[in-house]
């Protein structure tokens, strides 16, 4: 359990990140028929006529109360740094309390994964139409928390088990992935009860957790051959550092080097807070892969 000082600090960081007004996109396109199957596009604000594309997957423990709205200030921040931005929405868990807990259920199986796969597959055509400034050859995928998990998973679809519906025949056309405080190892996350056992709920509970991990856990889907960096705050009490370290260790054992940028005196939310110095660090990590 975090001490009182850590909890107070984490609450202040969350309040700051959520204090910014939502920023409306320049365009929105649907990749499916469900209201949540949409992508918001942000035009780069720099002088470049063509800019790298950053695809953003929001967090919120895969739960319905958290939609893409809370990360729109971060998307706008990146657009003001010269990136073209695609902010992806996807179906999340229901608002009904989970068994044995008071929080809404995390994720939908298989809908959450269906949506991420469909969104990434549809993105090139949608971006060409809605965001012609985007250079699709310089696409970088990023995500925060649960969105970090989904970003790592999306980059690993080509190494999914052969019977997985989401498997692709080859690696995605990505310059890389920058995962922000990601729930990158579902087994470690569950052992640490991250986000009130969100990983367990995502995979359907105790009876299905072990079997479904091989289709859903980035720590089991290695090596990907995709340049990957994890950015993690050392004082994060929502998704502790141990989760990112476990993924990096698994990658190393699989023969792949994954970058791990650890930020001192930074918790969970400054990584997506335009008012925080950590957000600028994230932008630099994205730029190193994209430019």
């Amino acid at each position: 359990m975090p001490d009182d000082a850590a909890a107070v600090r984490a609450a202040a960081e969350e309040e700051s990140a959520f204090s910014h007004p939502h920023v409306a996109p320049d365009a929105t396109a649907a990749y499916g028929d469900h209201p949540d199957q949409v992508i918001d596009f942000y035009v780069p604000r720099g002088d470049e006529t063509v800019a790298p594309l950053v695809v953003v997957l929001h967090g919120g423990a895969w739960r319905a109360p958290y939609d893409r709205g809370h990360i729109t200030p971060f998307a706008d921040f990146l657009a003001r740094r010269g990136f073209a931005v695609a902010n992806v929405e996807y179906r999340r868990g229901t608002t009904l309390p989970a068994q044995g807990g008071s929080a809404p259920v995390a994720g939908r199986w298989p809908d959450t994964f269906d949506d991420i796969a469909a969104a990434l597959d549809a993105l090139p055509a949608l971006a060409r139409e809605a965001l012609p400034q985007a250079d699709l050859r310089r696409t970088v995928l990023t995500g925060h928390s649960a969105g970090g998990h989904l970003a790592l998973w999306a980059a690993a679809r080509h190494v999914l088990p052969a019977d997985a519906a989401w498997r692709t025949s080859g690696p995605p056309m990505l310059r890389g992935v920058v995962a922000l405080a990601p729930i990158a190892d579902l087994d470690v996350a569950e052992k640490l009860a991250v986000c009130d056992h969100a990983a367990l709920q995502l995979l359907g509970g105790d009876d299905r957790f072990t079997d479904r991990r091989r289709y859903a856990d980035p720590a089991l889907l290695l090596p990907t051959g995709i340049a990957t960096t994890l950015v993690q705050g050392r004082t994060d009490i929502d998704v502790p550092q141990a989760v990112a370290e476990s993924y990096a260790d698994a990658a190393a054992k699989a023969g792949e080097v994954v970058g791990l940028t650890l930020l001192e005196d930074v918790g969970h939310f400054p990584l997506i807070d335009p008012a925080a110095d950590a957000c600028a660090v994230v932008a630099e990590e994205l730029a190193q892969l994209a430019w």
Side-chain angles (χ1 to χ4, degrees):
M1 293 291 291
D3 59 34
D4 290 343
V8 168
R9 175 174 178 161
E13 290 177 337
E14 181 175 359
E15 182 179 6
S16 176
F18 281 79
S19 68
H20 307 287
H22 291 186
V23 181
D26 296 296
T28 299
Y31 63 88
D33 296 330
H34 192 278
D36 286 337
Q37 294 174 324
V38 294
I39 303 173
D40 289 339
F41 294 99
Y42 294 79
V43 173
R45 311 295 193 242
D47 297 329
E48 299 282 343
T49 57
V50 180
L53 176 64
V54 176
V55 183
V56 176
L57 301 175
H58 72 81
W62 310 284
R63 292 185 172 121
Y66 302 96
D67 63 17
R68 69 192 186 283
H70 78 271
I71 210 166
T72 61
F74 174 72
D76 177 66
F77 172 84
L78 295 178
R80 288 186 282 110
R81 299 288 287 248
F83 296 102
V85 182
N87 185 17
V88 177
E89 189 57 279
Y90 53 90
R91 284 174 288 180
R92 301 160 320 280
T94 66
T95 56
L96 298 175
Q99 284 189 340
S102 59
V105 176
R108 303 186 196 185
W109 183 278
D111 303 7
T112 298
F113 297 91
D114 286 346
D115 285 0
I116 297 303
L120 271 293
D121 290 346
L123 182 62
L126 295 178
R128 289 188 190 100
E129 180 69 24
L131 195 62
Q133 301 90 338
D135 182 355
L136 300 180
R137 297 168 301 177
R138 293 185 287 161
T139 299
V140 179
L141 188 55
T142 191
H144 177 242
S145 195
H149 157 267
L150 293 172
L152 294 170
W153 178 84
R157 288 170 59 199
H158 58 296
V159 295
L160 281 167
D163 62 339
W166 310 295
R167 184 183 169 97
T168 57
S169 59
M173 296 296 292
L174 294 173
R175 282 286 183 89
V177 178
V178 179
L180 313 176
I183 306 179
D185 184 318
L186 298 185
D187 186 50
V188 172
E190 171 53 20
K191 289 175 180 176
L192 296 176
V194 166
C195 299
D196 195 19
H197 297 283
L200 182 67
Q201 294 171 19
L202 174 70
L203 300 193
D206 289 311
D207 293 342
R208 295 167 176 159
F209 184 76
T210 298
D211 181 63
R212 287 180 174 174
R213 270 190 67 216
R214 62 196 181 101
Y215 298 101
D217 193 340
L220 299 180
L221 301 174
L222 292 161
T224 67
I226 304 295
T228 300
T229 295
L230 313 184
V231 183
Q232 175 74 42
R234 285 190 179 274
T235 59
D236 191 334
I237 62 175
D238 294 279
V239 182
Q241 179 178 327
V243 180
E245 289 178 331
S246 180
Y247 177 86
D249 289 345
K253 290 176 182 176
E256 189 162 76
V257 177
V258 167
L260 179 56
T261 299
L262 299 173
L263 303 181
E264 298 291 341
D265 301 320
V266 170
H268 193 62
F269 288 98
L271 302 177
I272 59 165
D273 182 356
D277 292 341
C279 202
V281 174
V282 170
E284 288 300 321
E285 294 283 0
L286 291 166
Q288 287 182 27
L289 290 175
W291 290 100

